[in-house]
């Protein structure tokens, strides 16, 4: 698939996520209010935050695809990283909110469980699982940080919906068999979900912060670049090799030693060889900055 087609698929996935979150938010809040389901209502407000997160991710994906300009010579790739950080913050706030609602529920008389609320929670669970699989596949294939963040947001909703299904389901079982303690299955499940969502938010936040702080790519990636560079016959040594993520693409910066007697034209051709072999083997590399240093036969 060409780059334009991949970008188009990523934007379509972003729009599907945004529309789905809007529909689920309305559905959960309405059903939760009408049938007095605190867990579904809390999940609905959580979904309202997802609308903001999806909108931010979609906007950042559109911005990140803009070509480099005079004010942004390295492109706009970090726009997606910023949206990823926003999603991480929203997930973190959602985790605290779910924890608050879950703990508060232990000090209140549990609401009567609703079968309609239970079915709504199941629909949300299945829908969000499908969205997660769909968006994470496209996000990874296009290396879209914004879409990957949206996918993990869907995964957090899977956890939340699972808690709602378990909580309401246990409450329904408790009513049928007159087991009062099962009415508190919802807040117990909510506390477990809080841990999972917060862990997800923390991992996303650290990854976004690392990219914004221009943390180097892994040692394995650097070693892979080095192996490719040394296959170019004219390259006698690697003096420096650095690489960093810039949103959905990678920037490589290196200094290499080549025979000092080479002409400017020959040096230019060597640079083109190095760029070509790196980009052909690492499709997420968008820019390779190369500085040539002179090398002589008497050097070790």
């Amino acid at each position: 698939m060409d780059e334009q087609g991949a970008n188009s698929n990523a934007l379509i996935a972003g729009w599907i996520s945004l529309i789905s979150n809007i529909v689920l938010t309305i559905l959960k809040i309405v059903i939760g209010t009408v049938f007095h389901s605190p867990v579904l209502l809390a999940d609905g407000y959580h979904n309202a935050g997802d609308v903001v997160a999806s909108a931010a991710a979609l906007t950042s994906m559109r911005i990140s695809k803009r070509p480099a300009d005079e004010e942004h010579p390295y492109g706009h790739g970090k726009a997606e990283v910023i949206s990823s950080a926003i999603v991480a913050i929203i997930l973190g706030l959602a985790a605290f909110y779910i924890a608050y609602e879950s703990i508060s529920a232990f000090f209140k008389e549990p609401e009567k469980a609703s079968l309609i609320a239970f079915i709504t929670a199941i629909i949300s669970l299945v829908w969000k699982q499908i969205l997660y699989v769909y968006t994470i596949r496209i996000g990874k294939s296009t290396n879209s940080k914004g879409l990957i963040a949206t996918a993990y947001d869907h995964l957090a909703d899977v956890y939340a919906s699972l808690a709602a299904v378990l909580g309401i389901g246990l409450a329904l079982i408790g009513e049928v068999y007159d087991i009062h303690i099962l009415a508190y299955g919802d807040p117990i499940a909510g506390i477990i979900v809080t841990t999972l969502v917060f862990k997800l938010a923390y991992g996303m936040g650290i990854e976004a912060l690392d990219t914004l702080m221009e943390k180097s790519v892994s040692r394995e990636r650097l070693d892979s670049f080095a192996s490719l560079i040394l296959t170019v016959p004219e390259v006698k040594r690697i003096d420096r090799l650095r690489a960093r993520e810039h949103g959905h693409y990678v920037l490589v910066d290196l200094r290499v030693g080549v025979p000092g007697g080479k002409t400017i034209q020959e040096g230019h051709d060597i640079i083109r060889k190095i760029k070509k072999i790196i980009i052909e083997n690492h499709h997420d590399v968008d820019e390779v900055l190369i500085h040539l240093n002179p090398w002589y036969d008497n050097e070790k």
Side-chain angles (χ1 to χ4, degrees):
M1 183 185 298
D2 59 20
E3 184 176 355
Q4 185 176 358
N7 292 342
S8 177
N9 283 346
L11 289 174
I12 291 172
W15 275 109
I16 290 174
S17 295
L18 176 60
I19 294 170
S20 295
N21 279 330
I22 292 173
V23 172
L24 286 174
T25 296
I26 295 172
L27 182 65
K28 290 177 183 178
I29 290 178
V30 170
I31 298 296
T33 301
V34 172
F35 292 94
H36 306 288
S37 173
V39 62
L40 201 59
L41 198 56
D43 198 13
Y45 288 127
H46 171 211
N47 248 121
D50 296 337
V51 172
V52 177
S54 295
L58 185 60
T59 301
S60 73
M61 286 160 59
R62 295 177 68 90
I63 293 174
S64 70
K65 306 306 178 188
R66 293 177 183 173
D69 53 37
E70 187 175 341
E71 293 182 347
H72 307 89
Y74 295 104
H76 302 76
K78 284 190 177 179
E80 290 199 51
V81 183
I82 294 172
S83 80
S84 181
I86 292 173
V87 173
I89 292 171
I90 291 175
L91 284 179
L93 293 174
F96 282 114
Y97 177 72
I98 296 172
Y100 172 78
E101 289 294 323
S102 298
I103 294 172
S104 298
F106 284 109
F107 301 95
K108 302 175 184 177
E109 185 65 25
E111 295 281 351
K112 183 178 176 62
S114 164
L115 182 60
I116 299 296
F118 180 67
I119 293 173
T120 302
I122 291 176
I123 292 172
S124 175
L125 173 63
V126 174
W127 194 340
K128 280 294 187 175
Q129 178 62 31
I130 293 172
L131 283 173
Y132 167 69
V133 173
Y134 172 60
T135 52
I136 196 67
R137 179 175 58 82
I138 295 180
K140 288 186 175 180
S141 67
T142 59
N143 198 29
S144 170
K145 301 296 183 184
L147 196 56
I148 291 173
T150 300
Y152 285 129
D153 187 29
H154 290 323
L155 182 59
D157 292 336
V158 170
Y159 296 152
S161 296
L162 181 59
V165 169
L166 291 174
I168 299 173
L170 288 173
L172 287 170
I173 293 172
E175 288 180 5
V176 172
Y177 295 99
D178 195 25
I179 306 175
H180 182 70
I181 190 65
L182 291 183
Y184 291 98
D186 169 14
I188 293 173
I191 291 173
I192 295 173
V193 167
T194 296
T195 305
L196 298 174
V197 174
F198 186 77
K199 182 179 179 181
L200 199 60
Y202 178 78
M204 287 176 58
I206 291 297
E207 182 178 352
L209 185 61
D210 283 344
T211 302
L212 290 172
M213 295 295 290
E214 300 196 337
K215 180 183 177 181
S216 175
V217 300
S218 68
R219 170 49 57 183
E220 289 75 17
R221 288 296 304 273
L222 290 176
D223 289 343
S224 177
F225 292 145
S227 297
L228 290 170
I229 294 165
L230 291 173
T231 62
V232 177
E234 295 87 353
V235 174
K236 303 304 180 181
R237 67 167 185 261
I238 297 176
D239 296 324
R240 187 180 73 186
L241 173 59
R242 301 184 300 187
R244 65 189 187 277
E245 289 192 14
H246 197 81
H248 60 281
Y249 52 87
V250 173
L251 299 177
V252 180
D253 178 13
L254 63 119
R255 294 182 180 182
V256 295
V258 300
K262 295 290 184 181
T263 65
I264 292 176
Q265 180 62 56
E266 289 172 328
H268 175 74
D269 293 340
I270 293 169
I271 288 174
R272 291 185 64 181
K273 286 182 184 179
I274 296 172
K275 285 186 176 181
K276 185 173 184 290
I277 196 169
I278 290 177
I279 292 175
E280 283 184 346
N281 288 274
H282 294 272
H283 300 297
D284 58 341
V285 174
D286 185 73
E287 183 75 45
V288 183
L289 306 174
I290 304 173
H291 177 84
L292 300 181
N293 290 328
W295 175 90
Y296 298 98
D297 289 334
N298 60 349
E299 294 186 30
K300 296 296 185 181

